[in-house]
């Protein structure tokens, strides 16, 4: 059995004899006289059971994962990208003129462990890689006036993701104490229910000290988990009373259940979405339509090429109210009136297309990070759907998302919109590297209402594929090996699409020819057309492809939609 991740069990040395001592672990002078304090682990949360608490980690390239782990329930995963080698560091209190043993269990290629600011020679060790978990260990010696050092672990440029777990630094207490490990948290208080619809109820509760997550119970049965202090319970029956409770969790266990709260769903009667319903085909092509002039061909919506099945109007705008959306047409488009634009939407829908409103983009600043802002998002998005006839919403927030509250907002919106609601997403490649990222967590949290995730396989440099190898953008391998992560990570094939630029001018980097897109589609659905990466299985139900944008496609003579569109529609 492996030891607990948080407790370092130490022998108390008594009497007049000691059989053996691990080198550097304990120093005894004059056994008949003075007693010496036992060494402790001065590093906190080295097992990452409390997430990244206590660590200063590179944003976007580091996260905790539940598998694989060396011990306990969590480990650190770092995915180097570009000039970022995915470092996590922690400042620990140490005693001057002392010796410490620094160790960690790691997995992957070129994983580093070390300490700086020692006052002597800084310590570092690393491994070039191997199969399974490997223990890194080094000695840290502090100078005569050193009271703290920085402990770090990281990967290396252009290398695959690494894992680190059970990091310890054992030696004299420098005043910061040891790592006692978490205690079972207390039961959450303040549970309330609000915003009931015909199929969902919103819950919120107070934060619990030491908790790393929460479980939601409906009528005594666990129905979902949350990393925050709110959740939307969906899939409920209309006109039905439910009893809810929540518990707090961490690596030590689960708290008692909270006091119960009851809520009754409404009678329903909503039905069709404002746009009159929508049926997205089994294999669909998505295109972003620009509500602005940036040098690409200026189009009215009626001019969008017929091969596009989902047209995402880019973009909705943020207001000064957190979570609230607004939308207005750019005069550069030449629409005589809003009614003229709405008539174009209706005409596209009559032709079997879905027209949705995209939220975000490169400069988007929409922030949903509370229950109040989630409700503002849902209400304002639904109002815009009603006003213009949009079939749904696209989430393209490139400045970060809060998966808990955005999921709450989208479930509220879906309940208002009714059947036929279309929900798409366009995360960047880094956002979908693992199920621990906020965007991936969001996609899984709204899987019950999600139409498709079209990851942007461009503007990203080299990234990690599902096989643990690094691939460079602009190739069929980059697309297929990264799409594989989502297909293996819990999304249905029908919820996965390929996002690429329509021309070399449409993105800063990562353009591939339409023929490469077709090869990637064939590789994922049929096992043909692959590069060096060939998946172990195929996903014939893959939804399709997306491009930025219909305007740049038109600028390039519609080469993208004329090639990729028919290929998508002919998929098995």
């Amino acid at each position: 059995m492996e030891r607990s991740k948080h407790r370092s069990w130490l022998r108390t040395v008594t009497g007049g004899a000691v059989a053996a001592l691990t080198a550097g672990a304990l120093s005894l002078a004059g056994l008949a006289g003075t007693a010496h304090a036992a060494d402790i682990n001065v590093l906190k949360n080295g097992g990452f059971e409390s997430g990244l608490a206590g660590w200063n980690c590179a944003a976007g390239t580091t996260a905790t994962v539940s598998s694989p782990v060396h011990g306990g329930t969590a480990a650190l995963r770092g995915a180097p990208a570009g000039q970022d080698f995915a470092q996590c560091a922690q400042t620990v209190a140490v005693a001057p003129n002392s010796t410490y043993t620094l160790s960690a269990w790691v997995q992957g290629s070129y994983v580093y462990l070390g300490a700086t600011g020692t006052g002597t020679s800084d310590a570092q060790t690393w491994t070039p890689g191997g199969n399974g978990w490997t223990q890194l260990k080094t000695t840290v010696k502090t100078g005569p006036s050193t009271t703290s050092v920085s402990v770090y672990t990281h990967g290396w440029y252009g290398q695959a993701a690494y894992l680190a777990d059970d990091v310890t630094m054992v030696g004299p207490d420098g005043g910061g104490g040891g790592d006692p490990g978490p205690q079972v948290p207390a039961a959450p208080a303040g549970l309330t229910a609000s915003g009931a619809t015909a199929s969902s109820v919103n819950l919120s509760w107070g934060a619990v000290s030491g908790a790393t997550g929460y479980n939601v119970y409906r009528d005594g049965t666990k129905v979902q988990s949350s990393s925050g202090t709110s959740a939307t319970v969906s899939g409920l029956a209309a006109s039905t009373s439910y009893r809810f409770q929540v518990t707090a969790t961490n690596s030590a266990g689960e708290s008692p259940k909270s006091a119960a709260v009851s809520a009754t769903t409404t009678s329903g009667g909503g039905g069709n979405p404002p746009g009159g319903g929508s049926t997205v085909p089994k294999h669909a092509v998505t295109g972003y339509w620009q509500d602005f002039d940036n040098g690409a061909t200026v189009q009215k919506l009626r001019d969008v090429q017929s091969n596009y099945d989902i047209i995402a109007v880019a973009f909705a705008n943020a207001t000064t109210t957190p979570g609230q959306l607004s939308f207005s047409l750019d005069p550069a488009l030449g629409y005589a009136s809003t009614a003229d634009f709405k008539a174009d939407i209706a005409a596209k829908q009559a032709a079997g297309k879905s027209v949705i409103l995209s939220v975000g983009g490169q400069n988007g600043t929409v922030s949903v990070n509370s229950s109040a802002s989630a409700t503002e998002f849902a209400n304002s998005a639904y109002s815009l759907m009603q006003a213009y006839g949009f079939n749904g919403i696209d989430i393209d927030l490139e400045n970060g998302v809060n998966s808990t509250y955005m999921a709450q907002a989208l479930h509220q919106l879906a309940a208002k919109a009714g059947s036929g609601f279309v929900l798409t997403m366009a995360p960047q490649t880094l956002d979908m590297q693992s199920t621990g990222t906020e965007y991936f967590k969001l996609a899984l949290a709204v899987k019950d209402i999600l139409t498709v995730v079209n990851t942007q396989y461009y503007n990203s440099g080299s990234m990690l594929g599902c096989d643990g190898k690094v691939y460079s953008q602009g190739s069929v391998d980059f697309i297929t090996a990264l799409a594989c992560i989502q297909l293996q990570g819990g999304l249905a094939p029908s919820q996965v699409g390929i996002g690429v630029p329509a021309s070399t001018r449409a993105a800063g980097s990562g353009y591939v020819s339409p023929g490469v897109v077709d090869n990637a589609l064939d590789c994922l659905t049929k096992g043909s057309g692959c590069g060096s990466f060939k998946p172990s299985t195929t996903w014939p139900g893959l939804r399709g492809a997306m491009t930025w944008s219909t305007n740049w496609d038109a600028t390039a003579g519609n080469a993208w939609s004329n090639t990729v569109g028919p290929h998508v529609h002919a998929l098995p």
Side-chain angles (χ1 to χ4, degrees):
M1 293 181 65
E2 296 189 3
R3 61 176 175 78
S4 164
K5 302 182 74 168
H6 290 275
R7 292 175 174 84
S8 178
W9 298 103
L10 302 169
R11 293 181 178 178
T12 301
V13 181
T14 58
V18 178
L21 294 173
T22 300
L26 186 62
S27 175
L28 298 178
L31 289 172
T34 306
H36 290 261
D39 288 346
I40 64 171
N41 175 22
V42 296
L43 191 141
K44 308 296 195 304
N45 189 32
F48 302 97
E49 302 299 319
S50 298
L52 300 179
W55 293 89
N56 181 18
C57 297
T61 58
T62 55
T64 54
V65 294
S66 59
S67 178
V69 299
H70 178 257
T73 60
L76 170 69
R77 183 180 187 274
Q83 298 302 307
D84 183 349
F85 50 39
Q87 175 170 292
C88 275
Q90 181 178 143
T91 300
V92 298
V94 295
N97 285 327
S98 299
T99 300
Y100 294 82
T101 300
L102 175 63
S103 70
W105 288 89
V106 301
Q107 189 175 136
S109 299
Y110 298 96
V111 189
Y112 289 75
L113 175 71
T116 61
T118 62
T120 62
S121 297
D122 289 344
Q124 179 176 274
T125 184
W126 62 284
T127 174
N131 296 325
W133 290 97
T134 300
Q135 187 178 32
L136 291 176
K137 184 179 289 188
T138 188
T139 298
V140 178
K141 294 183 178 181
T142 60
S145 60
T146 303
T147 57
S148 67
V149 301
S150 178
V151 173
Y152 64 84
T153 182
H154 62 70
W156 198 246
Y157 306 108
Q159 299 300 312
Y162 73 91
L163 296 163
D165 203 356
D166 295 333
V167 188
T168 63
M169 184 163 157
V170 177
D173 185 0
D179 188 357
Q183 304 295 313
V184 174
L191 177 63
T192 59
S194 63
T197 70
S199 60
S200 65
V201 171
N202 300 325
L203 301 176
S204 62
W205 56 88
V208 177
S209 177
T212 58
Y214 301 89
N215 291 331
V216 178
Y217 289 81
R218 183 188 69 210
D219 296 332
T221 301
K222 178 183 171 182
V223 291
Q224 66 190 75
S225 298
S226 173
S227 59
T229 56
S230 67
T232 297
V233 183
S234 57
L236 307 178
S239 302
T240 303
S241 179
Y242 294 94
R243 183 173 178 270
F244 299 98
Q245 293 171 285
V246 293
T247 61
T249 63
N250 62 18
S251 61
E254 183 177 18
S255 76
K257 291 184 176 70
S258 69
V261 64
S262 296
T264 301
T265 53
T266 63
S267 59
N272 294 326
S278 173
T279 302
V280 176
K282 178 182 178 181
H283 299 297
V285 180
T286 302
Y288 284 81
W289 173 81
Q290 298 175 192
D291 174 37
F292 50 87
D293 181 3
N294 67 345
T297 299
V298 174
Q299 294 179 316
K300 287 186 170 63
L301 205 60
R302 70 193 71 155
D303 302 322
V304 172
Q305 302 86 320
S306 61
N307 275 312
Y308 291 102
D309 304 294
I310 302 174
I311 304 167
V313 173
F315 293 100
N317 301 307
T319 72
T320 56
T321 301
Q324 190 178 79
L325 304 177
S326 67
F327 174 75
S328 60
L329 285 168
D330 190 324
L333 303 180
Y335 273 106
S337 65
T338 299
D340 193 21
F341 175 64
K342 290 165 64 175
D344 273 5
I345 294 177
K348 283 294 183 183
Q349 291 167 338
K353 314 299 182 182
S354 298
V355 183
I356 62 178
L357 179 61
S358 183
V359 178
Q362 181 179 357
N363 299 320
T365 56
V366 178
S367 178
V368 177
N369 53 20
S370 67
S371 292
S373 58
T375 298
E376 286 287 351
F377 181 97
N379 289 343
S380 59
Y382 186 61
S383 293
L384 292 172
M385 289 175 64
Q386 289 179 306
Y388 291 92
F390 295 122
N391 296 103
I393 290 289
D394 169 71
I395 303 299
D396 182 19
L397 296 174
E398 298 181 10
N399 295 301
V401 297
N402 181 306
S403 61
T404 298
Y405 294 110
M406 182 55 79
Q408 179 178 317
L410 293 174
H411 276 117
Q412 289 183 40
L413 176 58
K416 292 174 179 290
S419 62
F421 175 66
V422 177
L423 172 61
T424 69
M425 297 183 187
Q428 300 173 99
T429 51
L430 187 62
D431 295 323
M432 301 300 285
Q433 278 280 279
S434 80
T435 55
T437 63
E438 284 298 293
Y439 233 118
F440 211 137
K441 287 161 63 177
L442 172 62
L444 294 175
V446 296
K447 186 177 177 180
D448 57 320
I449 56 173
L450 178 63
T451 306
V452 63
V453 175
N454 293 301
T455 301
Q456 302 176 46
Y457 294 117
Y458 52 97
N459 288 342
S460 61
S462 299
M463 298 297 293
L464 186 71
C466 66
D467 58 352
K469 297 180 180 179
V470 176
Y471 294 94
S472 299
Q473 67 177 359
S475 66
V476 66
D477 286 332
F478 185 81
I479 296 172
T480 54
L482 268 67
C484 171
I485 297 174
Q486 299 164 58
L487 292 160
Q488 293 180 348
L491 293 180
S494 63
Q495 295 174 319
V496 176
I498 293 170
V500 294
S503 71
T504 55
R505 296 176 62 192
S509 62
Y511 171 77
V512 294
S513 69
V516 171
V517 180
D518 289 350
N519 287 340
L521 291 166
D522 288 344
C523 180
L524 294 170
T525 59
K526 306 173 188 177
S528 61
C530 302
S532 62
F533 171 78
K534 187 170 183 177
S536 58
T537 187
T538 57
W539 299 275
L542 192 82
R543 179 65 79 173
M546 171 275 283
T547 197
W548 176 268
S549 63
T550 66
N551 307 75
W552 284 115
D553 184 22
T555 304
N558 300 324
W560 193 90
S561 57
N562 286 341
T563 301
V564 177
H567 199 86
V568 167
H569 297 142
L571 289 174

